[in-house]
Amino acid sequence: MPHILLLEDDTEIRLGLEQHLRREGFSLTSVGTGRDALQALSAPSPRLDAALLDLSLPDMDGLDVLRAIRTHASHRGLPVLLVTARSEEIDRVLGLELGADDYVSKPFSARELAARLRAILRRAVPTEVADRAPQLTFGPITVDLDMHTARVDGQLVDLTRREFELLAYFLGNPRRVLSREKILQQVWGLEYLGESRTIDAHVRRVRAKLGEPAADLIETVVGVGYRLGGPAGA
């Protein structure tokens, strides 16, 4: 049973979500403040499988909790779904840039929320990559699927779980134009309900972590998606 950290400051909404998510097969650590969320992250048990974070909190910005997760030694790869009532796109984009896996805006249906949680809980390497060799290489970039590591010219690159899966998918399909829809299906899962801007934010972070000149190998194909390396035969 997946165990979820639920951070929601509105008591009525939190109680409603607790009831629905438990019916959907999740167990919960439920808190109403950022401080309590940070304490839950530091607790030795129970083991967390994902976090559902409200951005509007009484004591701190929910993005600060996200930052704490992404810098925590034990939780940096924890799947995170953001919940926000904010209408400004900048908040959602910033959350994705900081490493959130997805977001949902209030008002939302509890059924949609459960579906998005299931989507981000998919931890397996994308299907089209899983059957290939345990190590994939293109130019200076190498990913080891068994060790879950990425290197550029032999140097380790610190990637989140989703960033690693995205890079592995690119290396498993070199010189092929991959549409945003295809990437969403293969990396985020067929049941993914998010937007293609999620991909753009993750690609930007992967490029930044690869550094030059390796970052230039991930090309943007305007109006379509992305490609690792030039066209076949180039």
Side-chain angles (χ1 to χ4, degrees):
M1 178 183 294
H3 191 83
I4 309 299
L5 172 62
L6 170 61
L7 171 56
E8 168 57 61
D9 72 309
D10 187 300
T11 302
E12 184 176 352
I13 294 176
R14 186 170 68 252
L15 292 175
L17 286 175
E18 288 176 11
Q19 184 179 31
H20 181 81
L21 291 175
R22 287 193 172 104
R23 284 201 306 265
E24 291 286 333
F26 298 97
S27 62
L28 299 168
T29 294
S30 184
V31 296
T33 67
R35 184 180 298 275
D36 287 342
L38 294 179
Q39 290 178 350
L41 289 166
S42 299
S45 63
R47 182 182 64 85
L48 296 174
D49 296 298
L52 179 61
L53 307 180
D54 188 7
L55 287 186
S56 300
L57 301 173
D59 59 337
M60 66 176 65
D61 195 314
L63 292 176
D64 291 330
V65 179
L66 175 59
R67 289 186 181 94
I69 289 174
R70 288 297 175 246
T71 56
H72 195 286
S74 300
H75 299 305
R76 63 188 313 162
L78 189 72
V80 175
L81 176 64
L82 299 182
V83 177
T84 177
R86 303 176 185 180
S87 59
E88 294 86 352
E89 182 181 359
I90 184 64
D91 294 311
R92 299 193 296 271
V93 172
L94 182 56
L96 295 173
E97 292 284 1
L98 290 174
D101 293 88
D102 193 10
Y103 71 88
V104 61
S105 298
K106 296 178 182 178
F108 54 83
S109 72
R111 183 177 180 182
E112 176 190 7
L113 196 67
R116 288 178 182 265
L117 277 173
R118 290 192 183 97
I120 68 170
L121 279 166
R122 295 179 66 254
R123 293 182 177 275
V125 173
T127 303
E128 292 187 10
V129 173
D131 294 334
R132 297 176 182 237
Q135 191 171 90
L136 302 171
T137 300
F138 189 92
I141 308 171
T142 299
V143 298
D144 189 310
L145 301 180
D146 290 338
M147 299 299 295
H148 211 271
T149 57
R151 296 176 183 270
V152 174
D153 288 327
Q155 300 297 311
L156 279 172
V157 180
D158 187 13
L159 300 176
T160 67
R161 174 184 54 84
R162 188 68 76 189
E163 291 165 359
F164 176 85
E165 291 175 354
L166 179 60
L167 182 60
Y169 184 56
F170 282 141
L171 265 69
N173 296 274
R175 302 193 185 281
R176 293 177 57 190
V177 176
L178 304 173
S179 69
R180 287 176 174 84
E181 291 75 17
K182 183 70 170 177
I183 296 171
L184 283 175
Q185 291 175 353
Q186 295 300 322
V187 180
W188 273 259
L190 289 171
E191 71 274 37
Y192 183 71
L193 302 173
E195 300 180 8
S196 61
R197 283 178 295 183
T198 299
I199 296 174
D200 299 332
H202 279 74
V203 169
R204 282 195 297 271
R205 290 203 306 275
V206 169
R207 283 171 168 162
K209 291 181 178 182
L210 292 177
E212 300 296 343
D216 295 334
L217 292 173
I218 302 177
E219 303 176 355
T220 299
V221 181
V222 178
V224 181
Y226 296 94
R227 174 175 56 208
L228 180 70

